[in-house]
Amino acid sequence: MHNILIAGCGRLGLRYLEGIIKIQQPLNIHIYDISDNAIFRAKKFINTNKNLLHKFYYHNKTIEPNIDFTLIIISSTADTRKKILYYLNQRITYRYCILEKVLTQGVENSIDSMVLSSKANVWVNMPRRIMPLYKKIKSLIDVGPIEMTVTGNKWGICCNGCHYIDLITWLTDETILKVNEIEFNNKYVWYETKRPNFYDIFGNVNLEFSSGSKLSLVSDLCHSKKHSVQINTKTNIIDIDELSGKVMYNKNYKFTEKILLQSFMSTELIKNIINHGKCKLTPLSDHLASHNTFIDFLINKYNKDHNTKNIFVPIT
């Protein structure tokens, strides 16, 4: 049977687990976390599901060496992700790996060599490019460059901005050039998120891409709770309400296609990886340039605002 490891079984790790247990083939599912509470919640969740085909193994704080995994999923917070990957590389072998976002809290120069040494195929979970909603949107974009604006109320530019950077690079086949402008309401710049000791920002962050496309990320307390994406091409305007999935094309209704939840996507995603070695998430090698450009900007902004000289930014 395939061995699958979920390293970091908090809220997001449980969403992966929820999808994986729906796979209709017997699996050895391993849960690894340093938190007793996380292990307890995972056990409680599994015990509420009856007649499962799988075997479950729990690893609290340490994991036994020399296990051969088909797939590992590192769904921890960003501050520990690289440490966990390094730890696992010393103890186990694996063929495939999914890394959650935000990849790490710093400019990344070594994680690529770490996974190369493991000889595994590694992807970063940027799922909008595999969602039916955005596949349909891509078919509506006639010609580039495009201008995309993401607007919402306290939606987490630091935490979730990488999703839209990845989305625009996939829609346009462009690469990120720079973060070239930022506007902030000085009263509300950095705020603590629901997770203690992690922060995010309000404001307007603008990015440029290699063939002229532009991305604007807008988060504040003034907009309604509606979370919207607008894409402007040379000839058309596409408005997307991500909460409802409603899409308007030149102000006329086009279709409705809701954003997929991680627990729903995980079933087919994981099944294709373990059985066929195929995955359409973003390869780590493709993601690193976007990650490093964006995270370098956030580090510099955080250091300037807090009079620090950190080489990381406390986001996840």
Side-chain angles (χ1 to χ4, degrees), residues 26-274:
L27 301 170
N28 292 323
I29 300 174
H30 297 250
I31 311 296
Y32 166 65
D33 206 295
I34 63 172
S35 165
D36 294 336
N37 288 334
I39 296 293
F40 174 79
R41 287 192 300 269
K43 288 182 178 180
K44 184 177 179 180
F45 170 75
I46 289 165
N47 290 336
T48 60
N49 291 269
K50 306 300 181 183
N51 302 317
L52 295 175
L53 301 173
H54 318 299
K55 293 182 179 179
F56 297 92
Y57 304 86
Y58 303 95
H59 309 269
N60 186 204
K61 297 181 173 62
T62 61
I63 188 167
E64 291 76 10
N66 303 319
I67 303 174
D68 181 29
F69 287 94
T70 303
L71 170 67
I72 65 172
I73 300 165
I74 303 184
S75 48
S76 65
T77 50
D79 57 327
T80 61
R81 197 171 339 274
K82 187 174 174 180
K83 293 177 183 177
I84 291 172
L85 182 61
Y86 179 80
Y87 171 75
L88 294 176
N89 278 356
Q90 307 308 305
R91 299 182 71 81
I92 65 169
T93 56
Y94 56 93
R95 276 167 274 171
Y96 308 107
C97 173
I98 295 175
L99 299 171
E100 260 302 325
K101 61 81 191 169
V102 176
L103 185 62
T104 62
Q105 294 182 328
V107 173
E108 202 42 69
N109 298 312
S110 61
I111 198 167
D112 199 26
S113 60
M114 287 170 60
V115 298
L116 283 175
S117 66
S118 72
K119 298 181 181 179
N121 291 319
V122 183
W123 302 276
V124 182
N125 188 31
M126 298 284 122
R128 276 171 174 75
R129 59 171 59 201
I130 68 173
M131 293 182 181
L133 167 60
Y134 282 107
K135 288 181 179 180
K136 291 181 179 179
I137 294 299
K138 187 167 186 175
S139 71
L140 296 177
I141 297 175
D142 46 4
V143 64
I146 66 173
E147 294 187 3
M148 179 190 296
T149 302
V150 183
T151 306
N153 179 292
K154 203 175 181 179
W155 60 270
I157 288 176
C158 298
C159 175
N160 295 308
C162 55
H163 283 301
Y164 298 99
I165 297 172
D166 182 79
L167 177 61
I168 195 170
T169 59
W170 174 70
L171 289 173
T172 63
D173 199 29
E174 297 180 42
T175 56
I176 191 170
L177 285 181
K178 58 181 178 178
V179 185
N180 69 328
E181 183 180 338
I182 185 165
E183 299 172 4
F184 283 111
N185 177 338
N186 290 327
K187 188 177 180 181
Y188 300 107
V189 179
W190 295 92
Y191 64 90
E192 192 170 23
T193 67
K194 293 179 181 178
R195 290 187 177 94
N197 302 316
F198 294 108
Y199 294 84
D200 218 298
I201 52 176
F202 296 112
N204 183 348
V205 180
N206 297 312
L207 303 97
E208 290 185 1
F209 296 82
S210 55
S211 294
S213 290
K214 297 179 180 180
L215 172 63
S216 182
L217 306 173
V218 183
S219 176
D220 58 30
L221 291 175
C222 301
H223 289 85
S224 68
K225 291 186 178 180
K226 179 179 178 181
H227 189 74
S228 63
V229 178
Q230 184 177 86
I231 298 173
N232 290 274
T233 71
K234 291 181 179 179
T235 54
N236 299 299
I237 300 173
I238 305 168
D239 289 290
I240 306 150
D241 182 343
E242 283 205 339
L243 295 181
S244 69
K246 184 179 179 180
V247 175
M248 304 293 289
Y249 188 71
N250 295 326
K251 299 186 178 181
N252 296 311
Y253 173 78
K254 189 68 174 178
F255 62 84
T256 297
E257 185 77 60
K258 288 195 173 183
I259 290 283
L260 298 180
L261 298 176
Q262 185 65 56
S263 56
F264 181 86
M265 290 186 293
S266 294
T267 305
E268 289 301 316
L269 180 70
I270 303 306
K271 191 163 67 172
N272 281 331
I273 291 175
I274 63 175

